[in-house]
Amino acid sequence: MNMLWLRQAAAGLRVLAALTVVLGLGYPLAVLGAGQLLMPGQANGSMVERDGEPVGSRLIGQPVEDPSYFHGRPSAAGEGYDPLSSGASNLAPTSPELLAAVEERRAAAAELNGVPPEAVPPDALTASGSGLDPHISPAYARLQADRVARERGMDPAAVAALVEEHVQGRGLGFLGEPAVNVLELNLALDEAAEAAGAGGAG
């Protein structure tokens, strides 16, 4: 009986060791290798570089307060855009706290961009489900174009054209809605301002 138990235990340990090697080491290394070989940019976080230095990810938004840049949508992830605290506010649509926050954001966006409150689009008022969304709607980007141009001393038509160049269509032509990646737009804005010799933050 004892010998049978020992043989079964030894067989179990061999299976455990084999599965540990295959699933604990082999599989993760295979996935890592495939990612680096087939899609290295996505596997490494879709990082965006400027002058050889990483400035952010195409997949995660950043808080922007400088009026000479395009702003993203609000974030409820931690202190804002925190990947370790990804999530929405979880406030109900009828929550007084949410309604007050929306009205506060509406008034602030309208004043900052010099537009009537009713012209402010929804994505300027509410956070995304993840709190990390790096995109805004084309409507929100267009709303900000005059303000950005004014702050930088740039031609409004040039900034508006830059927005249109960065409008991304629906996935596969029918999934989701058109969007603008804020980080990519702001980096292109810096390049255009530098080429035009205009002011603005660097």
Side-chain angles (χ1 to χ4, degrees):
M1 182 68 178
N2 287 338
M3 293 300 298
L4 177 62
W5 181 87
L6 288 175
R7 285 198 298 270
Q8 290 176 337
L13 289 174
R14 287 194 297 271
V15 171
L16 175 62
L19 290 176
T20 298
V21 171
V22 173
L23 301 178
L25 294 175
Y27 177 72
L29 289 175
V31 172
L32 176 64
Q36 294 296 329
L37 180 65
L38 300 175
M39 49 185 72
Q42 293 89 330
N44 292 316
S46 298
M47 299 302 293
V48 178
E49 295 186 352
R50 178 169 60 183
D51 300 326
E53 296 293 329
V55 294
S57 169
R58 289 183 176 85
L59 305 178
I60 300 178
Q62 299 178 2
V64 179
E65 296 182 0
D66 190 328
S68 68
Y69 283 102
F70 287 89
H71 296 182
R73 66 185 303 176
S75 172
E79 295 296 319
Y81 299 103
D82 182 358
L84 299 179
S85 300
S86 174
S89 66
N90 291 326
L91 296 174
T94 56
S95 164
E97 182 180 346
L98 177 61
L99 295 175
V102 165
E103 290 309 313
E104 181 179 339
R105 292 166 182 163
R106 189 193 310 276
E111 181 179 1
L112 179 65
N113 294 288
V115 298
E118 59 270 19
V120 179
D123 57 316
L125 308 176
T126 57
S128 65
S130 68
L132 306 178
D133 195 346
H135 299 93
I136 56 176
S137 66
Y140 189 24
R142 292 169 186 140
L143 180 78
Q144 301 181 65
D146 283 345
R147 182 251 302 164
V148 170
R150 182 175 63 253
E151 290 286 336
R152 288 180 174 257
M154 294 177 66
D155 178 8
V159 176
L162 203 60
V163 169
E164 299 307 320
E165 290 172 11
H166 284 79
V167 174
Q168 303 169 0
R170 292 179 171 88
L172 301 178
F174 66 94
L175 295 175
E177 295 294 330
V180 176
N181 187 289
V182 178
L183 175 60
E184 293 179 344
L185 176 58
N186 281 332
L187 290 176
L189 179 67
D190 277 343
E191 293 180 3
E194 184 178 346

